[in-house]
Amino acid sequence: EGVRTELLGDGMTRAPVVECVDLRQAAALKRWFEAPDRLPELQRTFSATSRFGQLLGVKVALAGRHAFVRFRCATGDAMGMNMVGKGVNTVLAEALETPALEGAELIGLSGNYCTDKKPAAVNWIEGRGKHVAAEAVIPAKAVREVLKAEPLRIARLNVAKNLLGSALAGSIGGFNAHASNLVTAVFLACGQDPAQNVESSQCIT
């Protein structure tokens, strides 16, 4: 029957880092961005910068007076980092004009909480880009005749290696059988950035 796939989530992220005057202001920034009635306003500002990009949500993580504002955006068929970066920069420029945020400074359009091209628990838990699940049934006859292997032994090895072994290694999203090889091959064939295979190959097999 071939391979069946499902798109479970879709949202490219960018997380600028803002240095606030003090912890109190950083907490105020978090409340400001995460206020339930704030999103439509931020979406209008973001949408003015792109015909295709759309702001879906914002979450803020604090480390002392540093605020990491993680924007999640729909980018259509594009990977979309340029359109996301442009929209996020515009939203932040307007936000930092708010009197309560006077003195806060954007010090990096990416604060590594996105997280881009690095293994990260935040991507593993919340996703980044398109979250896809796939399944395929390979007949036992094909496994024996083509792969020269026994299906049950492969299943046992998958649990021992990809699940238990990866857990012992403290892997973040690496519970798989070399997914990065496949992802990188597809990215190269389609003209995409192969360095993005880091977060794109976080999966379980």
Side-chain angles (χ1 to χ4, degrees), residues 5 11 28 30 60 80 94 106 111 133 136 140 145-146 156 160-161 166 181 186 189-190 194:
T5 60
K30 177 177 172 66
V60 181
E94 288 194 10
L106 171 64
E145 294 181 359
V146 178
R156 285 171 57 201
K161 175 182 177 178
S166 296
N181 292 50
V186 172
C190 296

Side-chain angles (χ1 to χ4, degrees), residues 3-201:
V3 178
R4 294 167 291 281
T5 60
E6 290 287 342
L7 179 64
L8 304 178
D10 190 358
M12 181 50 63
T13 58
R14 177 56 86 208
V17 54
V18 177
E19 187 176 68
C20 297
V21 174
D22 52 26
L23 176 60
R24 179 166 293 179
Q25 187 184 64
L29 181 148
K30 177 177 172 66
R31 288 191 293 270
W32 191 89
F33 271 104
E34 294 182 351
D37 58 349
R38 185 78 59 200
L39 185 58
E41 173 189 342
L42 301 178
Q43 288 174 324
R44 285 192 294 272
T45 301
F46 186 95
S47 295
T49 69
S50 173
R51 291 182 298 156
F52 305 105
Q54 178 185 359
L55 178 61
L56 301 175
V58 183
K59 287 186 177 180
V60 181
L62 300 182
R65 64 181 61 184
H66 291 89
F68 297 80
V69 190
R70 195 173 195 256
F71 294 81
R72 188 170 63 89
C73 312
T75 57
D77 292 333
M79 191 272 191
M81 282 313 310
N82 290 333
M83 74 171 79
V84 171
K86 182 179 178 182
V88 165
N89 191 53
T90 301
V91 169
L92 271 175
E94 288 194 10
L96 294 181
E97 292 178 359
T98 303
L101 302 181
E102 183 178 357
E105 180 186 356
L106 171 64
I107 61 174
L109 191 57
S110 172
N112 268 4
Y113 187 60
C114 311
T115 294
D116 190 37
K117 302 177 184 177
K118 290 163 281 292
V122 68
N123 291 345
W124 178 237
I125 296 167
E126 296 191 3
R128 183 170 196 262
K130 289 176 169 53
H131 178 195
V132 178
E135 69 173 2
V137 177
I138 304 175
K141 185 173 184 289
V143 173
R144 293 189 179 100
E145 294 181 359
V146 178
L147 301 179
K148 310 301 182 186
E150 282 298 319
L152 290 180
R153 288 183 61 83
I154 291 178
R156 285 171 57 201
L157 175 61
N158 183 64
V159 172
K161 175 182 177 178
N162 295 331
L163 305 186
L164 298 179
S166 296
L168 285 175
S171 181
I172 300 175
F175 296 77
N176 62 75
H178 298 301
S180 61
N181 292 50
L182 304 174
V183 171
T184 301
V186 172
F187 281 8
L188 289 172
C190 296
Q192 299 299 308
D193 182 358
Q196 296 289 350
N197 86 81
V198 178
E199 65 265 43
S200 298
S201 59

